[in-house]
Amino acid sequence: VLTRPDLLYALSKCAQKCSCPNNLDMARVLKIIKYVNATKELGLVFRPDDDFKLRCWVDASHIQYAEDAKSHYGYAFFLGSNDSCFYARSAKMKIVTPGGSTESEYVALYEAATEVVFLRNLLEEIGFPQDGPTPVYEDNTSTIAMAKGGGSFQKQKHILVKYHYSRELVKEKVIEMVHCGTEDMVADILTKPTSKSVLKRLRNLLMRPKGH
């Protein structure tokens, strides 16, 4: 799974039904198998590179399924100028985010920010310290404003304090919020189903055919 980030969302949804799958769930698994068989040439491709700059893309989708009222988030990390992400995650949020898409994205940012801190420390330990803040690409301008300390207090006062951790990281210049257009948000396919054309376009930003 780690070498096929395009499968993360689909597999994470199927994994939620492992204990009691129905015929529809089995059909979805078979569809995934057919997709993998048709795209065996895809994978993560890494080239020799002296650039070890860490970059992160993070996204969230707000409450897709009414049965649990939970949002889904995903993030992808790239290192240097390589065209393939070296680490990605897709997961359901553990809390309900009643404040809409901005709040879902803000919680997703917290999850990605904690991973940024871990990866920066890891890279420093193995001899690749990061110069300057790590760029975190986000397509929600309201979330970026909240991370920079702005936004309406009335819309934020119910958010748990720990989710403001990303705000502290921005102040300390550990991360830098960068706006990214929705059409270029590679983490989008980690958070929800997309059309075939969108899947192919974003998939090509996450990974490459082997040997290319």
Side-chain angles (χ1 to χ4, degrees), residues 65-83:
Y65 304 100
E67 67 240 23
D68 58 7
K70 299 286 180 64
S71 299
H72 208 95
Y73 72 91
Y75 51 72
F77 284 92
F78 290 72
L79 199 59
S81 58
N82 270 294
D83 296 326

Side-chain angles (χ1 to χ4, degrees), residues 14-25:
C14 289
Q16 295 171 20
K17 300 293 186 70
C18 282
S19 60
C20 54
N22 54 35
N23 290 336
L24 180 58
D25 298 322

Side-chain angles (χ1 to χ4, degrees), residues 84-202:
S84 295
C85 80
F86 74 92
Y87 176 55
R89 187 183 183 194
S90 174
K92 183 170 68 172
M93 290 184 182
K94 297 178 181 179
I95 65 167
V96 176
T97 50
S101 60
T102 296
E103 187 175 335
S104 296
E105 300 257 8
Y106 195 61
V107 173
L109 175 60
Y110 160 80
E111 299 288 351
T114 57
E115 203 68 37
V116 168
V117 173
F118 166 74
L119 290 172
R120 283 175 64 97
N121 290 338
L122 176 63
L123 287 167
E124 184 171 4
E125 276 192 32
I126 60 177
F128 302 104
Q130 297 295 292
D131 295 326
T134 296
V136 176
Y137 296 87
E138 166 67 56
D139 63 359
N140 188 301
T141 54
S142 296
T143 300
I144 293 175
M146 287 175 63
K148 292 181 177 180
S152 169
F153 172 74
Q154 292 299 320
K155 294 180 180 179
Q156 301 176 33
K157 61 183 182 181
H158 65 286
I159 298 176
L160 293 176
V161 173
K162 75 172 187 177
Y163 294 117
H164 295 301
Y165 179 52
S166 55
R167 184 176 292 178
E168 293 302 313
L169 295 179
V170 170
K171 288 180 181 178
E172 294 170 5
K173 298 188 183 303
V174 175
I175 65 174
E176 175 188 12
M177 300 305 301
V178 181
H179 181 256
C180 170
T182 302
E183 65 279 1
D184 297 319
M185 175 47 70
V186 297
D188 196 36
I189 61 173
L190 304 175
T191 67
K192 59 180 176 289
T194 62
S195 66
K196 185 181 293 187
S197 60
V198 171
L199 172 63
K200 287 183 177 180
R201 179 169 55 79
L202 296 180

